[in-house]
Amino acid sequence: MATPSKDERANLESNASLKENHQLSSKPSVYGRTISGMTCLVHHSIVAIHGLDGDRELSWTAENKKMWLKDPDMLPAQAKNARILTYGYNAATWGEQQQLAEEKMHSLAENFVSRVVQYRTRTSTPEDRPMIFIAHSMGGIILKFALLYANGHHDGHVAENKLFSEATKGILFIGTPHQGTSGITAAESFVKIYTMNGEVDQTLRQHLVANSETLHDQLADYCSISDKYITKFFYELYKSKLPKDRLEVLVPKFSAVVPGAVNAEPLGLHKDHLHLVKFTSPDDDDYETVVTAIVLMIHEILKKNRGQSIC
């Protein structure tokens, strides 16, 4: 992972605040399309959540400034009736804005559920409108905790938040280290990923290692609800450059897949960890793999919801 420039750090840190208008964003141009003079209503939502040291826009933006979640020639063109949202949270592991080590992953997940539910309520979203989540790296761990929380697996469950789980129909986990590999735990895998900058905050390291057992237990808990969702597990096929010129596949297939998950499929991408969710054009073969998975997922969801009006 390249070390962010001064301007990029300023952008990331300003984006890390928990302002309501920062957490979820959508572009009106992707709300619907006109067919024979009639505007079709949105019939599903796609929500993207980034990982550590991420940003709700920069994490999904390639070197040529293409942001595939909102570029009119990319995902909005293939998911024409989708409301595409990005979720941002304070994921900084360095600098004054670093708070991840002090905020438990459970708290991040609960806040994620609350923000999504509030957004759907505020925008008068029908309760049965399906959601598809795209989760990169650590974002996938937060999403799993969020779904477990919404299903009532943890204390403090709010009944209305169950709608978060019930509306969730599909998930794309991209480069999420669900379990450890090569003799290390999932928590230690996260530490390896975020040493690509050459350093990692020691408080964060201690926090992740301390929660290693929690991450392990999450696997079994998640499997018990995995049959509710259509799931795609994406893993990297290329090695990432680490300090001291070491090269390593950080999240191989074994780590990127939840063992025992129901209705799931693993898919490889010809990228390193940093570039898993960055696509320069619609001609990118890996973009085609990801967007095809999304489109097929949408079709399958619509088949199951045939009784629901979509226009």
Side-chain angles (χ1 to χ4, degrees):
M1 179 183 296
T3 302
S5 66
K6 181 178 179 180
D7 289 342
E8 288 173 327
R9 287 195 177 210
N11 188 25
L12 285 170
E13 292 181 356
S14 66
N15 286 343
S17 61
L18 295 175
K19 295 179 181 178
E20 182 175 350
N21 65 355
H22 180 84
Q23 298 310 300
L24 286 166
S25 70
S26 62
K27 300 295 180 182
S29 61
V30 302
Y31 268 61
R33 61 184 174 129
T34 300
I35 301 178
S36 301
M38 183 178 98
T39 300
C40 280
L41 300 177
V42 173
H43 56 73
H44 51 275
S45 296
I46 297 173
V47 183
I49 175 171
H50 61 74
L52 289 178
D53 282 340
D55 172 80
R56 70 184 181 98
E57 291 206 3
L58 294 179
S59 291
W60 315 94
T61 303
E63 291 84 348
N64 64 351
K65 308 302 181 184
K66 288 280 188 180
M67 203 280 220
W68 65 282
L69 297 174
K70 70 178 183 181
D71 188 284
D73 295 324
M74 299 183 81
L75 185 59
Q78 274 120 353
K80 292 185 172 69
N81 294 98
R83 175 172 63 182
I84 302 171
L85 310 167
T86 59
Y87 181 78
Y89 62 100
N90 188 342
T93 61
W94 41 259
E96 295 179 359
Q97 295 296 323
Q98 194 279 114
Q99 81 175 49
L100 192 64
E102 289 77 34
E103 187 169 3
K104 294 181 180 179
M105 285 180 281
H106 286 303
S107 297
L108 289 169
E110 290 168 14
N111 192 53
F112 181 36
V113 172
S114 177
R115 292 287 184 174
V116 172
V117 170
Q118 289 173 12
Y119 184 88
R120 286 169 67 92
T121 300
R122 190 170 69 250
T123 56
S124 301
T125 302
E127 291 184 358
D128 60 352
R129 178 181 293 166
M131 289 193 295
I132 293 172
F133 286 101
I134 304 173
H136 178 230
S137 198
M138 175 81 170
I141 301 298
I142 294 173
L143 175 59
K144 285 191 297 178
F145 276 126
L147 290 168
L148 289 169
Y149 168 67
N151 273 276
H153 279 238
H154 301 287
D155 294 336
H157 174 72
V158 179
E160 67 181 20
N161 289 341
K162 192 172 181 63
L163 294 174
F164 180 97
S165 175
E166 292 176 346
T168 301
K169 302 300 179 184
I171 304 170
L172 286 79
F173 290 109
I174 305 180
T176 296
H178 300 285
Q179 56 183 335
T181 184
S182 301
I184 65 173
T185 65
E188 290 167 330
S189 292
F190 277 120
V191 172
K192 287 182 66 176
I193 289 170
Y194 294 101
T195 54
M196 285 192 290
N197 282 336
E199 59 182 336
V200 66
D201 183 88
Q202 289 303 310
T203 306
L204 174 63
R205 181 191 295 271
Q206 294 167 8
H207 175 71
L208 288 171
V209 173
N211 280 274
S212 181
E213 186 175 347
T214 300
L215 293 174
H216 178 76
D217 292 343
Q218 185 200 59
L219 280 175
D221 291 340
Y222 180 75
C223 280
S224 70
I225 63 171
S226 65
D227 62 326
K228 299 174 183 285
Y229 322 115
I230 305 167
T231 306
K232 305 295 181 184
F233 296 110
F234 292 89
Y235 57 94
E236 63 224 48
L237 294 171
Y238 288 178
K239 295 179 179 180
S240 296
K241 186 175 181 179
L242 302 177
K244 298 181 181 179
D245 294 325
R246 290 184 299 123
L247 295 173
E248 186 175 341
V249 174
L250 294 175
V251 186
K253 182 178 179 180
F254 175 82
S255 179
V257 174
V258 173
V262 180
N263 197 15
E265 178 186 14
L267 295 164
L269 297 177
H270 296 83
K271 294 186 181 298
D272 62 19
H273 190 80
L274 177 61
H275 295 91
L276 279 173
V277 291
K278 298 176 186 289
F279 307 111
T280 57
S281 78
D283 297 324
D284 185 316
D285 289 341
D286 290 315
Y287 167 77
E288 186 65 28
T289 298
V290 171
V291 79
T292 297
I294 295 173
V295 170
L296 291 176
M297 194 176 283
I298 290 171
H299 289 169
E300 188 169 347
I301 291 168
L302 292 180
K303 282 182 181 178
K304 293 180 178 179
N305 294 349
R306 275 183 180 169
Q308 177 182 321
S309 174
I310 64 171
C311 286

